Amino acid sequence: MSVWVVRADGSSPKQLTSNALDVEPVFPPDGSQIAFGCITGDSPEGPLEAIYVINSDGTGLHQVVPPRAGLEHPGWSPDGRSVTFNIEPENAKAPDYGSILSVQPDGTGLRVIQPRTPDLKFFKAVWSPDGRKLLSGCFDTQAKIDKICMVSPGRRLTAVVSGPPGVNFPSWGPDE
């Protein structure tokens, strides 16, 4: 799998990468770059995935997060200043499993923006259009169900949807 760009009318397809397993490409709001995962191999803890950023014209490919087990779901902050991702909740050998992290597009500033809690493990986080909150899948370790949580980094955490099974694809509407 590789990353391609194509015009909305289907014309001018252009292959940007030629790695074996490039996955989940996402544009920042200004469309200038693409962040994506690259599955680089296997480990006893699962597939190794890195995050790369490339300019939307195919230049400037660079790694922003080195390969590690459990890394998944890259996404951009609304201001394009950071790439968010999570470490899969099932990967208990990673110290930050079940947490939401971010890194700047040049690979600096790696930080945990929402650590897992004793009761919740996070995945598939998406920013609100104003950049103040995140919606995230969150696995409730006590009830053993997936929920959707609203996260205000550094402040408040609220479960907004509980169950049914498979509830884990959050998205903000345009007026949120």
Side-chain angles (χ1 to χ4, degrees):
M1 290 184 264
S2 53
V3 176
W4 289 71
V5 292
V6 62
R7 292 181 176 271
D9 66 4
S11 66
S12 305
K14 180 179 179 182
Q15 184 175 358
L16 301 184
T17 68
S18 57
N19 297 316
L21 292 170
D22 294 333
V23 296
E24 297 186 298
V26 289
F27 283 96
D30 71 4
S32 63
Q33 297 178 303
I34 302 168
F36 62 94
C38 178
I39 299 171
T40 62
D42 287 313
S43 75
E45 292 81 37
L48 296 172
E49 187 171 333
I51 294 180
Y52 284 82
V53 170
I54 190 169
N55 295 329
S56 57
D57 66 3
T59 63
L61 176 67
H62 62 283
Q63 182 178 280
V64 296
V65 179
R68 59 178 295 183
L71 188 153
E72 58 185 9
H73 309 304
W76 287 91
S77 63
D79 62 8
R81 293 184 186 176
S82 66
V83 177
T84 55
F85 61 97
N86 69 273
I87 305 302
E88 66 184 7
E90 301 83 13
N91 191 346
K93 292 187 179 185
D96 47 8
Y97 77 99
S99 298
I100 303 168
L101 296 89
S102 74
V103 65
Q104 294 172 7
D106 65 2
T108 62
L110 179 65
R111 66 188 183 101
V112 175
I113 58 174
Q114 177 60 57
R116 71 179 180 282
T117 70
D119 298 328
L120 296 170
K121 298 176 187 173
F122 302 95
F123 55 94
K124 296 181 185 168
V126 292
W127 285 99
S128 62
D130 66 7
R132 295 188 334 215
K133 299 176 185 173
L134 293 140
L135 280 180
S136 176
C138 51
F139 179 72
D140 184 320
T141 60
Q142 303 302 313
K144 306 284 191 235
I145 61 170
D146 285 337
K147 297 180 175 184
I148 301 289
C149 290
M150 186 167 44
V151 177
S152 298
R155 295 184 294 276
R156 189 175 167 180
L157 175 64
T158 308
V160 294
V161 176
S162 295
V167 171
N168 68 11
F169 295 96
S171 180
W172 290 93
D175 297 322
E176 308 312 322

